[in-house]
Amino acid sequence: MKFDLLIKGGVIVDGTGAERFQADVGIKDDRVEAIGELGTSAHELIDARDRIVSPGFVDAHTHMDAQIFWDPIGTCSCEHGVTSVVMGNCGFTLAPVNVQDIDLVLENLEEAEAIPADVLAAGVEFTWETFPEFIDKLRSLPKGLNYAGYVGHSALRTYAMRERAFTETANADDLQTMADALRDGIRAGAVGLSTSRNPSHIRPGGEPVASRVAAWSEVEALVGVLSEEQRGIFEISREGKDPLPSDVSEDFNTRLSRLAIESGRPVTLGIFSVLKEPGLWKQLLDMVARTNADGGRMIAQVHSNTMYEYHTLRTETPFDSLAVWHELKSEPLATQKASLRDDAVRRRLIEAAHGLELPPDYENLMVVEAVQGPDRSVSDIAGERGCDPIEVVLDHLANADTDGFFRSPFANQRDEEILGLIQHPDSVVTFSDSGAHVSQIADFSLHTHLLSHWVRNRKALDLEQAVKRITSEIAGAWGLEGRGVLAPGHFADVTIFDADNIAPCMPTVATDLPLDGVRLRQGAVGIDATVVNGRVLMRDGEHTGELPGRVLTH
């Protein structure tokens, strides 16, 4: 038999957790045709000797709904071995939408997901209203990755209630409109329903996004649509310490657990460790475990790395609200760096920084010298030098060979707690947030960090277990049929990598959004190729020109 693509001589880690073995992988059209000793007859051959051949990685928590319109290959996920993603998390989707209320949809996204509204408006031409029409539009777009998507609660509310979505409880007619639109989306192939009750999800003026205004009974009614349709997963960004609306009488864990059990639908939420709330991650994992023991289905989404907010001259710094800093950053980058070495300018910047009402936490502001650390805090370096912490900041911004990154960790700051999260039997390793917070975070690397840090360096997980966590476990939980396992008859989504060298690279700053908008990018090393639906999408970190991605529907 002559294969379309033959991956020759690699070590197969098939995504099931089974022990690795050496074999060839033969691909015909979009499917794996055979695995074994397959000769050399093929239109295209990849030499995979001394390489791991695994299913393509899956990421179930992205916000690439808008990015897909201007970035056909799905950077930077595609550079980290990802072949399939789920977008539309946290209730933020581009459909359904009233064409006269596009600005309301953009407001749901702009602040909560840190995607500038002008970038969204320039990059996305709204030619749909309903979710089925949106799915049809996605099918027509060139794309490198496979995309599944939720129907978002905030989009449903603004579609049904317009401006009232941000201030009022839904009436019966509003709820019927939302339920009908959700049902249409599920029947068109949406992977489920997503929502947010997270206090950090706000509009540009500080008001809550639409989904946070909803009564819990509204959430229950919408999840009830999934129950009626007997399909779809429910994703939620959990409540914090100020749940809205104020009439909630039961704690969040009790309500969510009961909803999972009574609805019969899978429920998923992100869980991280946070220093200011010690032990909360364990309480949430215990809630997940109890729910599953009591007959529900609940899945914790966890991250393999510390989560950071990045700062640099080309994006944001903690001092940007100061006039003198704003003036500095209006100059070309080379001029900015030169100014940072000028004594007179430095004195003005230091004086202004001391006048901040809320100065940076210099113990939590880290100088980034290597992407996987270890980092040193500005406070520690200042102590060693016997200087003002702001001088450390100025020196690093002026003299760094790269973009001069700082980063502030905000979750998963202890390795032992990260390990507890990623080893929990009810968790899956997925939460890149790709497509959101584009100038602030760079979590594209959770897959490559898992394989480099936790498998190779720490030896805390074996390779077979780690690959299963980022392939079949996610594809199975989200109902992505035929994905996540490397076996004959399955879709030919494949990642070929060097287990001894795979790792994330340092982030960089790019201006490749619409209107030359700024975002962080991050590549990886040690990935030879990714194959999507039988065609090679990436070779040695570069796009091949192929665009084999599809819309994945239930």
Side-chain angles (χ1 to χ4, degrees), residues 69-149:
F69 285 86
W70 60 74
D71 177 8
I73 65 171
T75 55
C76 298
S77 296
C78 65
E79 296 166 83
H80 291 267
V82 172
T83 58
S84 297
V85 303
V86 180
M87 59 188 184
N89 283 270
C90 305
F92 305 124
T93 60
L94 301 180
V97 59
N98 294 305
V99 291
Q100 66 270 37
D101 292 330
I102 289 171
D103 60 321
L104 301 183
V105 174
L106 300 186
E107 283 192 18
N108 277 320
L109 291 164
E110 180 180 3
E111 187 71 25
E113 296 305 331
I115 308 172
D118 59 346
V119 168
L120 289 167
V124 181
E125 181 182 0
F126 285 79
T127 59
W128 60 87
E129 290 193 11
T130 68
F131 199 88
E133 291 170 346
F134 178 63
I135 289 284
D136 288 342
K137 179 63 178 179
L138 294 181
R139 286 195 177 101
S140 74
L141 296 175
K143 48 196 166 290
L145 303 179
N146 300 311
Y147 292 86

Side-chain angles (χ1 to χ4, degrees), residues 402-424:
T402 59
D403 284 299
F405 280 109
F406 296 87
R407 60 187 177 190
S408 301
F410 61 87
N412 284 8
Q413 286 144 278
R414 293 176 175 147
D415 257 14
E416 65 273 17
E417 294 180 352
I418 300 174
L419 190 59
L421 288 161
I422 64 178
Q423 289 186 322
H424 194 277

Side-chain angles (χ1 to χ4, degrees), residues 17-29:
E19 187 174 349
R20 71 192 76 178
F21 60 96
Q22 189 163 14
D24 307 330
V25 178
I27 295 168
K28 285 281 285 185
D29 297 322

Side-chain angles (χ1 to χ4, degrees), residues 269-273 280-281 284-285 288 300-303 412 421:
L269 73 163
I271 299 177
F272 317 103
S273 67
L280 177 62
W281 65 280
L284 291 167
L285 286 177
V288 172
Q301 299 180 38
V302 303
H303 204 289
N412 284 8
L421 288 161

Side-chain angles (χ1 to χ4, degrees), residues 188-442:
V191 75
L193 167 71
S194 68
T195 194
S196 173
R197 298 172 77 81
N198 188 325
S200 69
H201 287 158
I202 58 176
R203 299 169 73 192
E207 308 91 346
V209 295
S211 63
R212 288 183 55 213
V213 183
W216 186 252
S217 58
E218 179 179 315
V219 175
E220 293 174 320
L222 292 175
V223 175
V225 173
L226 304 185
S227 300
E228 293 167 10
E229 295 296 315
Q230 297 185 355
R231 55 182 164 169
I233 189 169
F234 174 53
E235 185 271 337
I236 184 167
S237 184
R238 67 177 182 85
E239 290 174 7
K241 295 183 177 180
D242 59 343
L244 289 170
S246 58
D247 62 354
V248 170
S249 57
E250 286 183 301
D251 72 274
F252 174 74
N253 291 2
T254 300
R255 282 178 281 125
L256 190 65
S257 180
R258 185 174 63 241
L259 181 60
I261 294 167
E262 293 181 355
S263 71
R265 300 316 307 157
V267 173
T268 184
L269 73 163
I271 299 177
F272 317 103
S273 67
V274 181
L275 294 182
K276 292 181 179 179
E277 298 179 276
L280 177 62
W281 65 280
K282 288 185 176 180
Q283 296 171 23
L284 291 167
L285 286 177
D286 287 346
M287 179 265 293
V288 172
R290 284 195 307 272
T291 300
N292 291 332
D294 291 342
R297 178 72 174 109
M298 192 174 285
I299 306 152
Q301 299 180 38
V302 303
H303 204 289
S304 66
N305 198 2
T306 301
M307 304 174 79
Y308 301 96
E309 181 176 359
Y310 281 83
H311 313 277
T312 184
L313 283 172
R314 296 177 64 194
T315 56
E316 299 172 355
T317 78
F319 313 104
D320 289 351
S321 62
L322 299 169
V324 63
W325 279 83
H326 183 74
E327 179 185 335
L328 173 77
K329 290 187 67 178
S330 67
E331 300 290 341
L333 183 63
T335 304
Q336 293 180 47
K337 285 180 171 279
S339 296
L340 290 170
R341 301 185 190 99
D342 180 275
D343 289 342
V345 174
R346 287 172 68 94
R347 283 194 296 271
R348 290 175 59 215
L349 293 170
I350 292 169
E351 182 180 353
H354 287 164
L356 275 174
E357 187 174 339
L358 292 173
D361 177 3
Y362 292 112
E363 292 184 0
N364 201 49
L365 185 63
M366 307 294 177
V367 175
V368 184
E369 295 175 339
V371 65
Q372 293 181 293
D375 297 338
R376 292 193 301 160
S377 73
V378 169
S379 180
D380 285 347
I381 296 171
E384 292 172 7
R385 295 182 185 174
C387 67
D388 192 314
I390 186 62
E391 293 186 65
V392 175
V393 174
L394 297 180
D395 289 343
H396 185 61
L397 291 174
N399 299 318
D401 291 335
T402 59
D403 284 299
F405 280 109
F406 296 87
R407 60 187 177 190
S408 301
F410 61 87
N412 284 8
Q413 286 144 278
R414 293 176 175 147
D415 257 14
E416 65 273 17
E417 294 180 352
I418 300 174
L419 190 59
L421 288 161
I422 64 178
Q423 289 186 322
H424 194 277
D426 296 313
S427 73
V428 293
V429 181
T430 186
F431 210 99
S432 75
D433 250 2
S434 288
H437 311 289
V438 294
S439 65
Q440 300 168 336
I441 67 170

Side-chain angles (χ1 to χ4, degrees), residues 149-189:
Y150 293 101
V151 181
H153 189 186
S154 282
L156 288 169
R157 283 199 119 234
T158 51
Y159 177 69
M161 301 173 66
R162 306 188 68 183
E163 281 282 3
R164 294 187 299 112
F166 299 100
T167 56
E168 296 183 15
T169 301
N171 61 37
D173 289 341
D174 298 329
L175 194 51
Q176 188 63 55
T177 300
M178 284 188 264
D180 290 345
L182 173 59
R183 186 174 291 105
D184 287 346
I186 295 299
R187 291 178 179 177

